[in-house]
Amino acid sequence: MLKAINLLKSYNGKKALDNISFQVEKGEIYCLLGQNGAGKTTTINLFLGFIKPDDGNAFIDGEEISTGTSSLNKKMAYIPEMVQLYGNLSGMENLDFFSRIAGFKYPQEKLSEFLTKAGLQEDAHRQQLSSYSKGMRQKVGIAVAIAKNADVIFMDEPTSGLDPKAMAEFTESCKELAATGKTIFMATHDIFNAVNVGTKIGIMREGSIIHEMLTTDIDANELQKIYLETI
């Protein structure tokens, strides 16, 4: 579903991505670990089409991202660290607004169904977003991805600032999405969540993927040791 081949990207002579290659299959959750400046967000921005590589190729479902076609946009959803939503609108109204931008018009019952599927409690569906916690905002972001029927969901530090309960709910939502065939590509600092939620993990340093492993082959303590030795 995702494929990177020898991607290179530099800013002012400094390499942000240094010849990286990887592949993510349909239904996988790929967690990209690394310090700030390692190249995680640059990788996501490149796949989203926000920036172009200096060299190399990136593909989503077999289609090269440089084509910039609308069909690619329909296949993707993006959940940033701070989900940008409208505080004066309810969760349902936000979902309705962003669904319409993506070309979908749903009845209220369906919007509520998407929010529930994303883990947002029913009594919050019509509350103003200004009253939401970060975890609740993330659930609206996930609901937008579900409503858009995106094949690939990119997430940048999605668990930052979440309490343990919200973290557990977020992990469960990701696993449920993957079980339906959705592919998730997540940039994160959180070693323990990466082991819990991911199917595959890559560790980045200075624009390169130094290690790549399946979560079935490693536990959190082993990953932490490798991570600390890498950075």
Side-chain angles (χ1 to χ4, degrees):
M1 185 58 71
L2 295 179
K3 191 172 186 178
I5 303 174
N6 302 324
L7 290 175
L8 292 168
K9 183 66 181 179
S10 297
Y11 296 102
N12 300 318
K14 181 178 173 58
K15 289 182 178 179
L17 297 180
D18 189 4
N19 201 41
I20 68 167
S21 298
F22 59 84
Q23 189 164 306
V24 186
E25 304 299 333
K26 181 178 180 180
E28 282 191 330
I29 302 175
Y30 191 104
C31 295
L32 194 58
L33 288 167
Q35 291 185 303
N36 289 335
K40 304 187 303 299
T41 298
T42 299
T43 302
I44 288 178
N45 286 341
L46 193 149
F47 271 94
L48 291 171
F50 296 160
I51 59 175
K52 293 183 178 181
D54 297 330
D55 201 1
N57 307 93
F59 300 86
I60 296 177
D61 198 19
E63 186 173 354
E64 190 166 9
I65 60 167
S66 60
T67 59
T69 61
S70 59
S71 64
L72 271 180
N73 293 332
K74 291 178 180 178
K75 292 179 180 180
M76 298 185 291
Y78 174 48
I79 301 176
E81 181 176 356
M82 292 300 296
V83 179
Q84 299 300 311
L85 300 168
Y86 292 97
N88 61 325
L89 300 179
S90 69
M92 186 176 290
E93 288 169 336
N94 269 281
L95 177 57
D96 183 40
F97 175 76
F98 287 103
S99 296
R100 287 172 185 264
I101 287 178
F104 298 94
K105 184 178 180 181
Y106 295 108
Q108 297 286 296
E109 296 78 11
K110 195 66 176 177
L111 293 170
S112 185
E113 180 184 320
F114 291 143
L115 289 168
T116 298
K117 190 173 182 179
L120 188 68
Q121 61 268 33
E122 189 173 349
D123 61 2
H125 291 185
R126 298 181 184 277
Q127 290 178 12
Q128 277 199 345
L129 209 87
S130 57
S131 67
Y132 281 24
S133 66
K134 182 180 179 183
M136 294 167 72
R137 285 172 173 264
Q138 294 288 51
K139 290 172 184 176
V140 177
I142 292 172
V144 172
I146 295 172
K148 189 179 178 183
N149 197 28
D151 295 318
V152 183
I153 305 171
F154 294 93
M155 302 181 178
D156 197 355
E157 302 292 351
T159 60
S160 174
L162 296 186
D163 61 41
K165 183 176 184 294
M167 181 88 73
E169 292 171 345
F170 172 81
T171 297
E172 187 61 30
S173 293
C174 289
K175 289 181 176 180
E176 288 176 359
L177 287 170
T180 66
K182 306 302 182 184
T183 302
I184 297 174
F185 188 88
M186 182 188 307
T188 181
H189 287 99
D190 193 328
I191 292 170
F192 297 98
N193 185 63
V195 171
N196 288 333
V197 72
T199 53
K200 189 183 292 183
I201 292 173
I203 301 178
M204 287 196 86
R205 183 183 70 194
E206 296 177 353
S208 297
I209 296 180
I210 308 299
H211 296 287
E212 195 174 62
M213 65 210 78
L214 297 174
T215 54
T216 52
D217 296 335
I218 197 166
D219 63 26
N221 289 330
E222 292 170 324
L223 177 59
Q224 184 178 39
K225 182 179 179 182
I226 295 170
Y227 179 74
L228 292 175
E229 290 173 350
T230 300
I231 63 173

